[in-house]
Amino acid sequence: MLFLLRMLALGLHFVLACAVNAVIVLLRPFNPDNTRWCGNVYARPAQWLLGLTVRRELDVLRATPNPFVIVANHQSNYDLFIHGSVISRRAVSIGKTSLKWLPLFGQIYWLAGNVLIDRGNAAKAKQAMLQTTDVMRNHDTSIWVFAEGTRNHGKGLLPFKKGAFQMAISAGVPIVPVCASTYLRSMRLNRWHAGHVVVRALAPKIAAAQQEQNHLIHADDEATGQKRGLAHQVARAQRGRAPVQPVRRGGVARPPHLPAHARQGRDDGRQDR
């Protein structure tokens, strides 16, 4: 009986939330912060109606500056009411194009600024990914992705799709994992306290290609320093002086510091010649 009452209340709430969110997205269409506002309108009252207690451990997510790619696990359609309350500032999500055909909700999802991808058309999907990369680089916007690509129904993580990682590498941004505890099997909607869910943001991860790029940059700087040190020694040898072992500072080879009287003697010798 309680389950049926909750489903009726949730259906009524969903219609009212769609009406409120329609006003939000019509007043400021395609604003990147619409997703956060709309998500909270859907999720916060629904969690109370469903009898779910959601603990949010989001310090890492709030401390990470935009832009970044958020990778979350996807369990069921209830994720709208779980993850909807933890969306960060100026973050939009990626969804399949079929979502836009859902009455009212699909149009709100589109006007909220979220990205729709046609998985059946490789050319269009690639173009959407390039557009998403440009948005992250130039518009202070993060991207929310369900990396599994479909619902796992609480049976553990499915293999991740590579799209989220390609976007992070192309845009040169970190990946922030956001994990919701398995709630689908333990949720009891016929009880007053239906269940407890923990949503936790993990430390940002740098994609492997980006780490390799940083390593190459560091190696290039070190090679430049060694080249300068070798050139200094060759120049001294050409002037008939013994090479001086360079002093390394911060990966760059530099000649050792000479005392004032030594510099004066060197200058006097040059003037005599």
Side-chain angles (χ1 to χ4, degrees), residues 214-230 248-254:
N214 293 339
H215 174 72
L216 290 175
I217 292 173
H218 176 74
D220 182 67
D221 290 342
E222 184 175 358
T224 301
Q226 293 176 355
K227 181 180 68 175
R228 290 175 180 172
L230 180 59
R248 299 182 60 80
R249 295 180 183 174
V252 178
R254 302 183 183 183

Side-chain angles (χ1 to χ4, degrees), residues 44-192:
R44 299 279 181 168
Q47 291 171 8
W48 180 79
L49 290 172
L50 292 172
L52 294 175
T53 302
V54 180
R55 188 171 83 239
R56 306 169 186 86
E57 300 176 3
L58 305 174
D59 292 342
V60 173
L61 187 64
R62 297 190 182 105
T64 305
N66 279 347
F68 50 88
V69 175
I70 304 164
V71 172
N73 57 329
H74 192 13
Q75 298 184 50
S76 72
N77 290 333
Y78 287 111
D79 283 347
L80 173 63
F81 308 124
I82 303 298
H83 289 295
S85 63
V86 302
I87 299 172
S88 60
R89 184 188 71 87
R90 294 183 67 85
V92 299
S93 66
I94 291 181
K96 52 189 178 182
T97 51
S98 58
L99 287 174
K100 69 181 180 182
W101 302 114
L102 294 176
L104 194 56
F105 176 82
Q107 292 74 52
I108 292 172
Y109 184 83
W110 174 63
L111 284 172
N114 297 295
V115 181
L116 296 172
I117 292 182
D118 185 359
R119 297 177 182 173
N121 189 317
K124 289 184 178 180
K126 183 177 181 181
Q127 183 62 34
M129 287 293 186
L130 292 175
Q131 177 186 356
T132 302
T133 300
D134 178 71
V135 167
M136 283 193 290
R137 284 176 174 172
N138 302 316
H139 298 280
D140 187 36
T141 301
S142 297
I143 303 295
W144 182 293
V145 181
F146 289 115
E148 297 162 282
T150 188
R151 297 177 294 274
N152 60 40
H153 302 292
K155 298 178 181 179
L157 287 176
L158 299 175
F160 283 3
K161 306 295 184 181
K162 61 184 179 181
F165 305 93
Q166 289 177 334
M167 283 190 298
I169 292 170
S170 298
V173 300
I175 296 171
V176 178
V178 173
C179 311
S181 59
T182 302
Y183 63 84
L184 199 57
R185 292 184 174 183
S186 60
M187 188 167 58
R188 300 290 182 266
L189 295 179
N190 57 344
R191 298 179 181 177
W192 186 253

